[in-house]
Amino acid sequence: MAVTAQQIADLAGVSRGTVDRALHNRGRVNPEVKEKIQKIALELGYKPNLIGQALVRSKQDFKLGVILQSTETPTMQIVRAGVLRAAEELAGSGVELVLRDFQGLDTELMLEYIEELVSAGVQGIALSPDTAPEVRQCIDELHAQGIPVITLNADAPGSKRLCFIGMDNYRAGQTAACLLRLMLPEGGKVLPLAGHLNNTAHNNRLNGFLDAIKAENTLNISTLAFQPCFDRDDYSHEITQHALRANPDLAAIYVASNGQKGVCQAIEEEGRKGRVKVAAFDLNELNMELLQSDSLSFVLDQEAFEQGYRPPFLLYEYLLHKKKPEKELLYTDIAIRTKYNSDMALVCTTMQNGL
């Protein structure tokens, strides 16, 4: 029968923890006690349980970091809830997760948080990046240091990140264009409304939409020049109001990020509700209300909770077993939600997320 650390502890008259520290040079142990423990272990032919040690290390030595941007938006609040749920579940395996988040997009703050997390000893980072080349360079530098990075919600293509998890935003833009074409059989003008131009997700949704509209130009649909609203309802309200007054034949508005509340409010104030279609993104409480009141025509949901929940587990698996994700691009679903299938979907999501 193999000798156990507990048997050595009993013979030495010390705790099992003291035996562990003495045999593996962890922490402070009285030199005489340490010598006694090592002598007993040698005499008994003690061999450490390497598998058990690996399990212990896996439960004690992992610290992960997560950085989220634009957390003032309903979508990123759902992403954040996913991160917190993952942190709660991983804590049972001894994994510490450090979350840093901020409102809007701020490259300098993003880089500061990355430096802070690295200084704190994190072994892997999940983040939602902007398009700044400095962020891509930082991801590559982390890769060179052996610190894996997973991008979520927004990607940093061309960087050495481990993988991306989020919506295929270009295809989502194409999907929105296809649906609006079906809703506008007579054609008409469409106003594309973007969020932040230095956000890859927003850019891809915009480009996918515009490319799909151009590819099917036989339906007499034209697009106005896109306008950025920086995820602000006051900006989107003003832009929409101006567009409605300047274009009495405006048929639809495509909201590629946030700002849909301001859009819908302006349409109602101008007496155009029901005549101007509005497409937006993400199933949350606000959008469910706007769908139920017929202010929004449809939304495309991207499983935001999964985007926050899954990356910490992927990092943990990679660090523990060197197991890479099955794909470089882990796309979440593009789910079409209308007033008829949004309320139950949101209830189920809310129950799952514990929100």
Side-chain angles (χ1 to χ4, degrees), residues 3-275:
V3 178
T4 67
Q6 185 60 58
Q7 289 174 319
I8 296 174
D10 293 339
L11 291 172
V14 298
S15 68
R16 181 174 176 176
T18 300
V19 171
D20 180 74
R21 291 194 299 274
L23 295 179
H24 303 104
N25 297 312
R26 286 197 287 261
R28 299 179 60 182
V29 181
N30 183 288
E32 294 181 1
V33 174
K34 182 176 182 179
E35 183 180 355
K36 181 180 180 181
I37 291 172
Q38 290 176 337
K39 183 179 179 181
I40 294 173
L42 181 62
E43 291 175 349
L44 295 179
Y46 172 73
K47 294 181 180 180
N49 184 341
L50 298 179
I51 296 177
Q53 287 182 29
L55 290 173
V56 169
R57 284 196 297 273
S58 72
K59 292 182 179 181
Q60 293 181 348
D61 296 342
F62 287 118
K63 178 185 286 189
L64 306 177
V66 177
I67 306 175
L68 301 179
Q69 63 182 349
S70 300
T71 50
E72 76 279 8
T73 64
T75 298
M76 293 308 293
Q77 282 296 311
I78 298 175
V79 173
R80 189 176 187 275
V83 172
L84 295 178
R85 173 66 67 82
E88 180 182 345
E89 293 182 10
L90 283 171
S93 298
V95 178
E96 179 184 357
L97 194 149
V98 183
L99 172 63
R100 295 290 181 267
D101 54 32
F102 55 91
Q103 296 187 0
L105 301 185
D106 190 327
T107 300
E108 290 301 319
L109 188 55
M110 172 76 69
L111 295 174
E112 287 180 15
Y113 279 150
I114 291 175
E115 183 178 354
E116 176 189 329
L117 291 175
V118 172
S119 298
V122 300
Q123 294 154 286
I125 297 176
L127 56 84
S128 54
D130 58 31
T131 60
E134 295 89 345
V135 175
R136 285 185 172 82
Q137 181 180 350
C138 187
I139 292 174
D140 291 347
E141 291 172 353
L142 291 172
H143 172 79
Q145 297 174 40
I147 301 176
V149 175
I150 291 178
T151 54
L152 61 97
N153 188 259
D155 195 12
S159 69
K160 294 182 179 179
R161 46 97 170 101
L162 187 62
C163 71
F164 162 71
I165 180 166
M167 176 183 274
D168 185 337
N169 288 288
Y170 186 84
R171 286 185 177 273
Q174 292 177 309
T175 302
C178 177
L179 292 172
L180 279 180
R181 286 201 307 269
L182 295 174
M183 299 179 75
L184 302 174
E186 303 299 324
K189 294 180 180 178
V190 180
L191 169 65
L193 200 62
H196 293 273
L197 299 182
N198 56 341
N199 182 295
T200 55
H202 299 180
N203 278 334
N204 289 340
R205 290 177 192 172
L206 178 63
N207 291 331
F209 179 83
L210 294 176
D211 288 348
I213 290 293
K214 292 177 183 177
E216 300 289 343
N217 54 13
T218 57
L219 294 178
N220 197 29
I221 293 179
S222 61
T223 57
L224 303 178
F226 75 86
Q227 299 286 333
C229 70
F230 305 100
D231 285 335
R232 292 183 52 166
D233 286 308
D234 54 345
Y235 286 6
S236 65
H237 179 278
E238 182 178 353
I239 293 169
T240 301
Q241 188 178 64
H242 176 78
L244 289 168
R245 293 176 180 178
N247 300 275
D249 56 344
L250 185 67
I253 298 177
Y254 169 63
V255 186
S257 54
N258 290 281
Q260 61 272 28
K261 182 178 179 181
V263 169
C264 294
Q265 184 178 359
I267 291 174
E268 186 165 3
E269 290 173 354
E270 294 296 312
R272 306 276 287 278
K273 181 177 178 180
R275 290 186 288 148

Side-chain angles (χ1 to χ4, degrees), residues 301-327:
D301 191 44
Q302 60 175 319
E303 299 184 61
F305 183 84
E306 182 73 5
Q307 294 175 21
Y309 177 78
R310 195 173 177 191
F313 285 95
L314 292 174
L315 286 171
Y316 177 64
E317 284 292 318
Y318 179 76
L319 292 168
L320 184 60
H321 302 297
K322 295 301 177 184
K323 178 183 177 182
K324 290 186 177 181
E326 60 270 24
K327 296 179 182 178

